[in-house]
Amino acid sequence: MDEEVKYIDITPHRSILTKISQTGYSIQEALAELIDNSIDARTEEKTLTVEVTIDKDYILVSDDGKGMSEEQAAKSIRLGFSEKKQQLGEFGLGLKTSTSFLGHGFTLNTTQRGLAQEYSLSYDADDWLESGDWYKYPFTIRHDTDLAASGTKVEIRKLRVQITDKLLASIREEFGLRFGPFIQNNELKLVFNSSPCPPFVPTLLYNKKSEFSFEFEGGKAWGWWGYQLSGLNQSYYGFHTYRRGRLVTIYDKIGLTPNQDIKQIIGDLHIEGIPITHDKKGFLKSSAEYLSLEKEMRDYFKPFEKRPKRVLAGYAASAGKVSGTVRKINMFMSGDMEVEMAKIERGDIIVTEMTRPHFLLGIRRAGGIITDLGGNLCHAAIVAREFNIPAVVGTQTATTILQDGQKIILDGYGGYIYED
Amino acid sequence: MRIDPTLLAFPRYIPNDLEGLLLFYPVKYPPIVSDFEEIAPKIAEDPVAFREYGDKMRDELWLAFEKIKGYYEKGDQSDLNFLLDIDERFGKIYCYRFWIVNYLMADGPIHEFMVDNLKNLIHKFIDVTDDVEEFEQKVVRVQRDLLQSDYADMYLTSALDGLKAYELMQKHPRLSEIVAEATKLIDNHSHLNTEEINTFWEDAFKIIDNDEGAADIRNAMHMPLRQVKMRGTMLPVYNMLTHAVEFREENIKLAMRHGEMTSIIDAYKAKAKEELTQDDYDFFIVCYEQARNFAMYKDVMGAIDEPLLPLWFGIHRQIKEILMSRGITIRHRPTGPTAVLAHYVWYLPDELKARVMTPDLTPFNIETI
């Protein structure tokens, strides 16, 4: 049988540049890709400043990093091109996919300190689809620019996404979470719509963090963990995982038991050595390295996953979950007001038959309230809601069962008391 | 009628029954059961009727109280028989004119029904979001606001009065410096400073009590000033002032929130009207109004506590002292309105014991009380 080899044209169809945006991004994730590129361009001498401005007509991401050389800038539009190894933007897709997701066009301007040149690339989806040429893409070089300036600016136009106030608030929150480690290390100052993003800081029980580290086959992992009290969405626990300092997954349950409640394990987990998916949204869970780390984590955290014992129930009178020390207070005429008031420290959980208005000072200082008596509209319930203090009322036996000084957790969502 | 008839029957349990009224009143005053079961279906789902009924009960309660008080003041207060008679009369007005509104309705199964349904209906009209945490937080916030309502209860009134007193004291030429000094100590958040802080308040009180220019401050402090008389200690005033300083910033926010509460609740009502069926919306309004009524009437009726309880409990002390003067040893235990029915009855002479333990079948009548 005869055989011949022909050489065919496999130049990508022009529409590939518009199709690559269909990766299932969220707006936050798309913006994070651009910030990743900025972080990769940071220098060791100074804190990198990245400014993100979102307007109804455009999105602007600019940084004062080292900028791109002429060759880097020219190749930044090429699909799959990346010189980055062991950095965040290693696949060479982020700029194209994220900008195409966010808008129909973008302009990139970049300059390096001491060069007095600025390189510029513009992309417009409609023009490209009509007359784009893979071999002749316009690349502008501007001369006599500021010698001292350095950095990259990406402006996205003709937005595909709808900007709402709620979205802006959510982006700020997520930036604090995604780039928290860089912000906390002073490696990054992230400014969003003119005001700096604070790093996300979880509320830990007793403010206690424990550090850990593992070596597993093919890699290593390290980080910290602590307990938090579960919120209304009980799946919000686990680890924020990072690779090279950049957030990969949030509330990752790697090695943890599902459905943790009341006291939940939360922490940061830095992982090196496990392959990552090309969209950088997760680790390859089928890899030997991942399975090896998962086992290490399971063995380590098993002893810490004990569920607290429920000791009392009543009316869930005021929402919130709080841990604290039991302080039994007699608010009746039979109690010595001076003595009773002196017992209450800020954050204590007041345990009483029922509340009285002239103990308002003590009540305001309390972290939580538990009463023997009362229903949803009793004074204790009303005062707790008024002042946002978690409360369980009508337990019947709190003053008998709970001991002064005992550590407990009060669940004002469910109406339960747990031993801590 | 949306309320199941079983909830309108005389309650078997009330979560707030510290004094054991549910144990004693239906036995001592049996017509209370039929009184409640007759009125409950008429007012349980009708907020206007509930308020009319509550106001009528309050008026008769005060009227009857004044009558009994006058009778007591003219009588022989050393006579055990007379004192027991007064106690029975107070018991009767408390049972028929206070208990239904303040406990059987406001803490009983009907209250639970209204609160539960209010919470369920809130879930129906709140916009669903992708984030469970956000959605539930929103529900919790709406629940809190609606159960709170635009009514300021005693605690909120105390906090707002405290804020007012604090602002007035800061402007007062003789008090501003004292407040500034006390503030420094209070902001340290240490019990070790309590004594010194109270010394400042002692000085402040002398000015507040006598200064002609401090009438507004006295007015803002009327609640703790009354407590001082009732409890025989200055602590209620000291605590109020410390609270006003310690929580000054929070209280400003509280005042703002309270000031906006009517419009916040109106917005919830508008949202409910938009999202719920007409039937659900009407029911939502009933649940809201009744929850507000139940909370509010605790204070409306509770205003009687201030003159009634010291007098009534004083009578209990007199009964105890007379019995002890006869050589009877009485075990100490904290007591409330049912002190005689629950405790002293065991120590009474036989004929009085029988009297106390005999059911009073005569229906309540304001003319004959």
Side-chain angles (χ1 to χ4, degrees):
Chain A
M1 187 164 46
D2 279 345
E3 161 179 301
E4 82 175 301
V5 175
K6 277 185 160 185
Y7 293 92
I8 55 171
D9 181 1
I10 60 164
T11 313
H13 188 267
R14 282 203 293 265
S15 65
I16 188 71
L17 270 181
T18 55
K19 287 173 182 164
I20 55 169
S21 66
Q22 294 159 15
T23 55
Y25 270 140
S26 68
I27 297 171
Q28 292 88 322
E29 283 165 350
L31 289 166
E33 285 280 13
L34 299 173
I35 299 170
D36 279 355
N37 288 342
S38 294
I39 289 173
D40 284 343
R42 70 193 187 282
T43 58
E44 282 180 11
E45 303 93 65
K46 62 165 193 169
T47 301
L48 173 79
T49 300
V50 178
E51 292 195 43
V52 180
T53 306
I54 300 185
D55 190 79
K56 63 179 172 43
D57 299 322
Y58 68 92
I59 293 172
L60 185 65
V61 180
S62 64
D63 68 61
D64 62 354
K66 60 187 174 199
M68 294 184 209
S69 65
E70 183 179 341
E71 189 187 354
Q72 285 168 330
K75 288 180 176 170
S76 67
I77 192 79
R78 283 183 68 185
L79 282 178
F81 175 80
S82 176
E83 290 177 330
K84 300 174 185 176
K85 296 291 170 225
Q86 304 295 311
Q87 285 182 289
L88 299 178
E90 65 187 297
F91 295 108
L93 293 169
L95 174 70
K96 283 74 74 178
T97 50
S98 59
T99 49
S100 295
F101 172 81
L102 294 167
H104 289 274
F106 74 90
T107 301
L108 177 141
N109 292 307
T110 185
T111 183
Q112 287 191 321
R113 191 184 307 275
L115 277 186
Q117 283 186 338
E118 186 184 67
Y119 311 112
S120 183
L121 267 170
S122 268
Y123 168 79
D124 185 281
D126 298 333
D127 294 346
W128 168 256
L129 285 173
E130 199 183 312
S131 57
D133 184 342
W134 291 107
Y135 300 101
K136 286 182 185 170
Y137 201 90
F139 179 70
T140 310
I141 302 170
R142 291 188 196 97
H143 300 283
D144 299 327
T145 56
D146 183 1
L147 265 173
S150 74
T152 302
K153 192 188 286 183
V154 178
E155 184 179 353
I156 301 153
R157 301 175 304 274
K158 295 201 251 177
L159 300 186
R160 294 174 193 268
V161 292
Q162 205 179 347
I163 308 298
T164 62
D165 288 345
K166 196 174 151 197
L167 174 71
L168 295 176
S170 160
I171 291 171
R172 172 180 294 283
E173 203 173 297
E174 196 159 330
F175 278 0
L177 183 63
R178 283 181 174 274
F179 299 103
F182 290 110
I183 300 170
Q184 275 178 312
N185 284 346
N186 281 327
E187 290 178 62
L188 171 68
K189 183 182 174 196
L190 184 51
V191 180
F192 178 60
N193 278 0
S194 305
S195 69
C197 285
F200 167 76
V201 182
T203 308
L204 292 179
L205 212 47
Y206 327 118
N207 276 327
K208 192 182 165 197
K209 274 185 182 180
S210 304
E211 293 192 351
F212 63 86
S213 64
F214 304 110
E215 299 238 339
F216 57 91
E217 209 175 315
K220 60 180 180 178
W222 69 97
W224 61 264
W225 72 277
Y227 286 117
Q228 68 167 6
L229 295 176
S230 52
L232 288 165
N233 185 342
Q234 298 190 345
S235 67
Y236 282 4
Y237 72 94
F239 295 97
H240 296 329
T241 63
Y242 297 89
R243 180 172 171 270
R244 299 174 194 162
R246 196 266 204 195
L247 186 77
V248 179
T249 55
I250 59 171
Y251 303 117
D252 198 308
K253 311 285 186 293
I254 181 169
L256 299 180
T257 311
N259 306 321
Q260 278 188 10
D261 191 16
I262 314 302
K263 270 169 86 170
Q264 299 177 315
I265 288 174
I266 188 163
D268 282 350
L269 174 63
H270 295 263
I271 301 172
E272 293 303 337
I274 297 181
I276 194 168
T277 56
H278 80 86
D279 60 4
K280 292 182 269 181
K281 287 183 184 175
F283 294 96
L284 288 180
K285 292 189 175 177
S286 55
S287 66
E289 295 88 345
Y290 186 91
L291 295 171
S292 173
L293 174 62
E294 191 177 37
K295 184 183 177 312
E296 291 282 348
M297 296 282 285
R298 191 179 301 123
D299 292 346
Y300 182 82
F301 283 103
K302 199 89 193 153
F304 301 115
E305 292 189 303
K306 211 169 151 189
R307 190 189 161 94
K309 184 179 159 195
R310 186 189 293 177
V311 287
L312 262 180
Y315 291 93
S318 180
K321 220 171 258 176
V322 65
S323 75
T325 306
V326 167
R327 205 57 68 201
K328 286 210 253 187
I329 303 297
N330 180 354
M331 296 195 191
F332 293 126
M333 297 287 272
S334 56
D336 181 331
M337 198 174 177
E338 192 172 359
V339 173
E340 300 298 317
M341 279 296 303
K343 290 183 196 170
I344 305 167
E345 298 290 345
R346 275 188 170 235
D348 279 352
I349 296 179
I350 288 182
V351 177
T352 182
E353 279 91 349
M354 61 204 300
T355 58
R356 295 286 188 198
H358 38 273
F359 274 82
L360 183 61
L361 174 60
I363 290 167
R364 290 295 289 276
R365 287 173 175 167
I369 301 171
I370 303 170
T371 69
D372 282 350
L373 302 162
N376 273 311
L377 294 172
C378 75
H379 276 137
I382 293 170
V383 72
R385 285 193 292 267
E386 229 151 36
F387 302 129
N388 275 335
I389 303 169
V392 176
V393 303
T395 61
Q396 301 298 317
T397 52
T399 54
T400 316
I401 287 178
L402 300 174
Q403 302 305 311
D404 213 46
Q406 187 181 352
K407 301 280 183 200
I408 58 165
I409 294 169
L410 183 162
D411 175 5
Y413 299 117
Y416 301 114
I417 311 298
Y418 299 86
E419 270 180 1
D420 193 2
Chain B
M1 175 74 67
R2 294 181 184 87
I3 302 180
D4 189 289
T6 53
L7 299 181
L8 298 167
F10 193 79
R12 288 163 182 267
Y13 166 77
I14 311 175
N16 237 9
D17 194 17
L18 175 67
E19 296 90 356
L21 306 177
L22 201 55
L23 193 62
F24 295 105
Y25 280 175
V27 187
K28 177 65 186 174
Y29 308 107
I32 186 64
V33 176
S34 55
D35 269 22
F36 175 83
E37 292 186 344
E38 190 189 328
I39 193 66
K42 293 177 188 164
I43 61 173
E45 276 196 48
D46 186 341
V48 176
F50 179 89
R51 285 194 288 271
E52 283 169 3
Y53 177 76
D55 290 344
K56 183 168 179 270
M57 294 296 102
R58 177 201 55 198
D59 293 347
E60 291 195 4
L61 176 70
W62 279 92
L63 199 63
F65 165 72
E66 292 298 341
K67 255 174 110 169
I68 300 166
K69 186 175 163 234
Y71 179 57
Y72 164 75
E73 282 164 354
K74 284 183 208 146
D76 179 1
Q77 294 171 17
S78 62
D79 178 7
L80 190 56
N81 194 31
F82 172 75
L83 293 175
L84 289 172
D85 177 46
I86 297 293
D87 175 67
E88 275 195 334
R89 288 168 195 245
F90 276 149
K92 198 161 180 170
I93 64 165
Y94 208 68
C95 173
Y96 287 100
R97 289 297 176 263
F98 180 87
W99 197 40
I100 292 179
V101 177
N102 221 31
Y103 283 79
L104 297 178
M105 296 292 294
D107 286 322
I110 297 168
H111 125 266
E112 245 177 88
F113 174 84
M114 293 297 171
V115 171
D116 286 350
N117 278 287
L118 187 67
K119 288 181 177 178
N120 292 340
L121 288 164
I122 290 168
H123 271 91
K124 279 194 185 181
F125 73 77
I126 293 298
D127 290 334
V128 178
T129 54
D130 292 340
D131 188 333
V132 178
E133 185 90 13
E134 193 186 330
F135 173 70
E136 291 295 342
Q137 288 284 9
K138 217 188 271 183
V139 170
V140 163
R141 198 163 52 242
V142 178
Q143 262 176 29
R144 191 195 67 185
D145 290 345
L146 288 175
L147 288 178
Q148 196 57 49
S149 81
D150 56 353
Y151 167 69
D153 74 321
M154 283 187 290
Y155 293 85
L156 182 55
T157 305
S158 297
L160 299 179
D161 283 351
L163 178 63
K164 201 169 160 190
Y166 172 68
E167 286 169 351
L168 290 168
M169 284 167 75
Q170 277 187 310
K171 289 177 196 157
H172 192 283
R174 294 171 65 200
L175 289 167
S176 57
E177 202 172 314
I178 298 177
V179 173
E181 290 300 315
T183 302
K184 281 183 211 158
L185 291 171
I186 290 167
D187 286 349
N188 284 336
H189 302 299
S190 167
H191 283 306
L192 298 174
N193 293 337
T194 305
E195 209 171 308
E196 204 180 336
I197 293 164
N198 289 349
T199 314
F200 279 116
W201 294 145
E202 202 178 326
D203 295 341
F205 179 73
K206 283 174 197 156
I207 300 167
I208 293 168
D209 205 26
N210 299 308
D211 194 293
E212 277 183 16
D216 286 349
I217 304 176
R218 283 195 292 278
N219 197 29
M221 291 176 64
H222 68 282
M223 284 214 291
L225 289 173
R226 280 209 308 262
Q227 278 288 323
V228 165
K229 285 184 193 150
M230 202 166 149
R231 289 188 164 247
T233 161
M234 287 299 292
L235 283 172
V237 164
Y238 298 164
N239 287 348
M240 188 229 194
L241 292 173
T242 302
H243 172 266
V245 173
E246 189 170 327
F247 294 94
R248 56 194 181 278
E249 281 164 23
E250 291 92 333
N251 286 345
I252 291 170
K253 288 182 197 152
L254 209 59
M256 279 168 64
R257 193 173 137 243
H258 178 63
E260 291 165 356
M261 201 46 107
T262 306
S263 57
I264 291 172
I265 286 167
D266 284 348
Y268 292 146
K269 284 182 184 169
K271 180 81 183 156
K273 193 165 180 57
E274 206 178 293
E275 300 291 333
L276 299 177
T277 62
Q278 187 60 42
D279 205 34
D280 272 356
Y281 174 72
D282 293 342
F283 188 39
F284 166 76
I285 294 295
V286 168
C287 292
Y288 166 70
E289 291 280 332
Q290 285 298 60
R292 185 181 188 278
N293 279 345
F294 293 159
M296 184 167 71
Y297 272 77
K298 273 174 184 287
D299 287 349
V300 170
M301 303 301 286
I304 194 77
D305 283 354
E306 201 180 309
L308 172 66
L309 296 184
L311 178 62
W312 197 359
F313 294 173
I315 291 168
H316 292 158
R317 267 197 303 279
Q318 287 174 309
I319 292 170
K320 187 180 177 185
E321 279 161 16
I322 292 170
L323 290 171
M324 289 176 77
S325 70
R326 295 175 183 180
I328 297 166
T329 310
I330 297 178
R331 187 172 60 89
H332 174 74
R333 59 172 268 199
T335 53
T338 55
V340 173
L341 289 167
H343 189 39
Y344 299 138
V345 65
W346 298 95
Y347 306 99
L348 292 173
D350 286 351
E351 72 281 8
L352 294 180
K353 195 178 285 180
R355 177 187 161 169
V356 169
M357 295 180 77
T358 302
D360 175 357
L361 297 168
T362 322
F364 179 87
N365 186 327
I366 188 72
E367 300 302 326
T368 56
I369 189 71

